[in-house]
Amino acid sequence: MIYFENVTKQYANSDTFVLKDISFYVERGEFVFIIGGSGAGKSTITKLIIAEEKQTSGSIYVNDVNVAELKDKEIPAYRRSLGIVFQEFRLLSTKNIYDNIAFPLRIRGASNDEIEELVPQWLDLVRMTDKAYSMPSELSGGERQRAAIARAMVNNPSVLIADEPTGNLDPIITAEIMDYLRQINEMGTTILVVTHDPNVVNSMQKRVIELNDGYITRDMQRGGYTFGY
Amino acid sequence: MDINIKKLGSFIKDAFDGLWFNRNVAIASVVIVMSSLCLFGAYIAISMNVDYISKQFRSQYAISAYLEKGTPDERVEEIREELNNISNIATINFISEDDALNYCKEMFGDDADFLNGLEEDNPLRASFDVTLKDLTKAGETKEAIEKIIDVSWAKNNQDFVTKILNITKSFKNGSFVLMLLFSLISVFIVSNTIKISVSARKEDIYTMRYVGATNDYIVCPFVIEGIIIGLIGALIGYIVVLIGYTYCYYMIAGYIESLVSIYKTHQLALLLFGCFILFGLIIGALGSVYSVKRYIKA
Ligand SMILES: Nc1ncnc2c1ncn2[C@@H]1O[C@H](COP(=O)(O)OP(=O)(O)OP(=O)(O)O)[C@@H](O)[C@H]1O
Ligand SMILES: [Mg+2]
């Protein structure tokens, strides 16, 4: 599903390696946390996966796609095969919630019938039906993130990548969002969550990959934020 | 780029979403496009009328250069050649002694009997009637012709015509400079306004890229937004200019109609419409393409 082999990454205008030697393999249906201190390279890993950045060496495969070898023209279609959730929600500010969730379907060229079937279904799943015609700026953080999850999932991607999805949310909303991610995972979607919230990691007891100084220092099948939890 | 009707429909919807979301900036842009087009329209109206007026004077106004009686045909041809070499002469029309007599007869109509019999001993002189390209240089041209043959002025008063033409011409030049200045300024402001609205939405542009939108999907709505702004500005500007022109027409036409006529509103309407739509389209489309391109990587 997701395959990193001896990946290193050095940003263009910098002389240090952010990732020094990263290898891991995520199987279909897994739920994985990526943790580590600020600047450890967690977001860099998500950027490599979504083809926003290229690794300096090593190889990355996602769904058997060699990500670094994608041509510019192939990147949009590749990204549409992933679901992506961001810390800052990143809903399109000019569109209401319904149109935000419909957006990935529209850019894929889905039929109107399909849009009219799937969007209400997802609005319902994330309990946003009442707010379908609200603009993102009129919603709370938790509501925005629920809408963003629906948008990420509406094309039924095999992988959902979330970079600090609860970073801007309070503990109660965080628990709710994590519950959605758990449900989505139970329906079969592989999930990769970057976080530095110990409560989230401890409560879920899922696989944990910990980064430190460019290396993976821990990769546990079921674990907490630190050893012993 | 492969665009079908469904895609186009969704681009247009996206464009209207964007315009509505940024309606204050959109309205400001429309006003700027409109004002610059009003200046552009004023320039077109003035310069069209200046050309129209000079054309009227030109056709009313000719220099007649009279030949000595009995000038031999070869000499007539020589003179025609020499006149041809004067650069400011637009047309040369030779009027023979017989032609001149016939004109007289036509002029007097039924009372022309007294001219009968003059064919035998025609007192009239043959002449070259020349029209000029640039009437404001009539003085110099007359001197040039005088070096060749006798000259007498026909019809209008030269000084007066020259004065009017000079005024209209400097009016035209002045409005050209103003028009150029203001359209440069307005193109600058419009592209900046669009740039501001695009950069306010650069996060949206990045988001669209992250979720896998192709460049068409990102750029086209912005371009359509720009075009809509340009077209609405053009249409409002068009209406303002037509009303303004009609008002000016009724103010001016009464005073000058005995002398010259100027274009009526409907005679300029189509030309102005074409220019406005074109200008609005170009400002809007170029401004937005240029601003959005910077945020698109792959
Ligand atoms: N585009 C870039 N150009 C140069 N350096 C970068 C770039 N993006 C990130 N870095 C650097 O790479 C390192 C890792 O960044 P990254 O964003 O992956 O960290 P992170 O683990 O996500 O941290 P945080 O928890 O604060 O989000 C940091 O030192 C950062 O300054
Ligand atoms: Mg990060």
Side-chain angles (χ1 to χ4, degrees), chain A residues 38-39 41-44 46 87 163-164 194 196:
Chain A
S38 185
K42 305 181 295 296
S43 296
T44 303
T46 65
Q87 177 173 0
D163 191 347
E164 312 219 16
V194 168
H196 48 214

Side-chain angles (χ1 to χ4, degrees), chain B residues 28 59 106 111 132 162 168 179 181 185 201 226 280:
Chain B
S59 60
E106 266 171 41
D111 303 324
L132 304 186
T162 311
T168 52
M179 192 268 314
L181 203 71
I185 293 173
R201 279 150 65 192

Side-chain angles (χ1 to χ4, degrees), chain A residues 85-89 145 163-170 174 177-178 193-197 200:
Chain A
V85 173
F86 306 88
Q87 177 173 0
E88 327 78 54
F89 322 125
Q145 199 58 303
D163 191 347
E164 312 219 16
T166 59
N168 289 349
L169 304 174
D170 68 36
T174 295
I177 294 294
M178 292 317 296
V193 178
V194 168
T195 185
H196 48 214
D197 183 342
V200 164

Side-chain angles (χ1 to χ4, degrees), chain B residues 126-150:
Chain B
S127 66
F128 281 105
D129 280 7
V130 300
T131 61
L132 304 186
K133 290 176 186 157
D134 181 355
L135 290 185
T136 60
K137 297 203 183 100
E140 297 153 39
T141 312
K142 183 186 167 212
E143 276 169 26
I145 298 173
E146 273 170 341
K147 288 194 186 127
I148 307 167
I149 39 173
D150 271 357

Side-chain angles (χ1 to χ4, degrees), chain B residues 86-101:
Chain B
I86 297 174
S87 58
N88 192 32
I89 290 182
T91 62
I92 301 173
N93 190 20
F94 179 67
I95 295 165
S96 69
E97 293 171 6
D98 290 344
D99 293 337
L101 189 59

Side-chain angles (χ1 to χ4, degrees), chain B residues 77-88:
Chain B
E77 283 315 306
E78 267 174 42
I79 292 170
R80 188 199 289 277
E81 278 302 300
E82 287 173 55
L83 290 176
N84 255 332
N85 287 336
I86 297 174
S87 58
N88 192 32

Side-chain angles (χ1 to χ4, degrees), chain B residues 163-176:
Chain B
K163 235 176 236 161
I164 294 233
L165 285 174
N166 274 331
I167 293 170
T168 52
K169 221 172 149 186
S170 52
F171 211 54
K172 181 177 163 178
N173 291 339
S175 68
F176 178 73

Side-chain angles (χ1 to χ4, degrees), chain B residues 1-22:
Chain B
M1 192 148 84
D2 138 59
I3 293 185
N4 56 39
I5 295 292
K6 194 170 87 189
K7 254 187 176 178
L8 192 66
S10 101
F11 293 160
I12 291 173
K13 185 190 174 315
D14 288 354
F16 276 103
D17 283 350
L19 286 172
W20 178 246
F21 186 78
N22 274 333

